Amino acid sequence: MRITKKFYIRPATETAPLLLGKFLCRNAEGNVIKRRITETEIYFGEDDTACHARSGVTRRTWPLYEQGGIAYVYLCYGIHNLFNVVTGEKGFPQAVLIRGVEGFDGPGKLTKHMKIDRSLNAVCLVGSNEIWLEDDGFLPKFNATKRIGIDYASEHDRNRLWRFVAEDIT
DNA sequence: AAAGTGATCATG
DNA sequence: ATGATCACTTTG
């Protein structure tokens, strides 16, 4: 069944591991794709030097400050659309980056396959018929590791174990 | 190892 | 208006 609002309104630190195994669902022009999430990463607050919100509210980062349950999609390196799930209460910027789904490892690859782009930025995952998440009760085992691709962040933030990889989903 | 690619943000 | 930066992927 579709994941409801309540699931999203809690800290990304809680939500990120729970998102593993959930189905990311996308309806693009009547074509529905559903795939289990295999890899997630936390971006948490203005004090997290790896988080986009480290510079406060801007034209790009405003969705991070909304109440949990919406999408945050932005263009990375001029080429790749990266998909995040905004979590928590309104006013505290945080999100979970979806880094992989079954069959498609890599945050840019999965968005390409599922036709996710910036037109879905700030879309409500609870109410949209274009993109949403579903839960069938499956809870995979997982490992927590360091985040990837954030060399510019402080050592302290680089060392946080804020990346989660499911073991039993390929 | 390194390019490709363009929105975003800080600076002037 | 301009330039540096960047939560990546692919190619050699």
Side-chain angles (χ1 to χ4, degrees):
Chain A
M1 14 178 312
R2 182 189 283 237
I3 292 176
T4 53
K5 193 84 178 172
K6 197 168 135 187
F7 178 89
Y8 300 104
I9 307 182
R10 51 182 160 184
T13 43
E14 276 182 50
T15 314
L18 291 175
L19 281 171
L20 296 172
K22 303 291 184 282
F23 287 100
L24 175 56
C25 309
R26 167 77 170 124
N27 183 352
E29 296 161 8
N31 238 15
V32 178
I33 308 173
K34 302 186 182 187
R35 289 189 173 267
R36 285 194 197 276
I37 294 169
T38 59
E39 188 176 332
T40 62
E41 229 173 45
I42 298 167
Y43 289 90
F44 196 72
E46 293 181 349
D47 292 339
D48 174 10
T49 58
C51 182
H52 283 173
R54 62 188 179 278
S55 314
V57 185
T58 67
R59 208 162 58 250
R60 178 172 67 163
T61 63
W62 68 264
L64 293 170
Y65 290 79
E66 294 299 302
Q67 187 183 55
I70 66 171
Y72 171 54
V73 186
Y74 73 96
L75 189 66
C76 182
Y77 295 114
I79 303 175
H80 303 104
N81 292 285
L82 267 56
F83 172 71
N84 300 246
V85 174
V86 175
T87 63
E89 296 290 353
K90 185 177 172 71
F92 187 96
Q94 49 176 302
V96 178
L97 170 66
I98 307 303
R99 295 192 57 93
V101 298
E102 48 184 334
F104 293 88
D105 245 6
K109 285 189 197 167
L110 79 89
T111 54
K112 184 177 178 187
H113 175 251
M114 300 188 80
K115 299 187 164 52
I116 295 169
D117 62 24
R118 283 165 298 157
S119 68
L120 295 171
N121 189 33
V123 162
C124 178
L125 300 170
V126 178
S128 168
N129 291 315
E130 291 206 279
I131 188 162
W132 68 97
L133 275 71
E134 290 182 12
D135 182 5
D136 69 348
F138 178 57
L139 289 170
K141 289 182 181 159
F142 63 90
N143 297 116
T145 72
K146 292 179 185 177
R147 290 180 288 179
I148 288 179
I150 54 164
D151 291 348
Y152 59 89
S154 72
E155 184 177 1
H156 181 249
D157 287 330
R158 288 199 311 271
N159 287 332
R160 293 182 184 279
L161 299 180
W162 274 359
R163 172 174 171 247
F164 303 93
V165 185
E167 280 186 357
D168 11 330
I169 314 175
T170 60

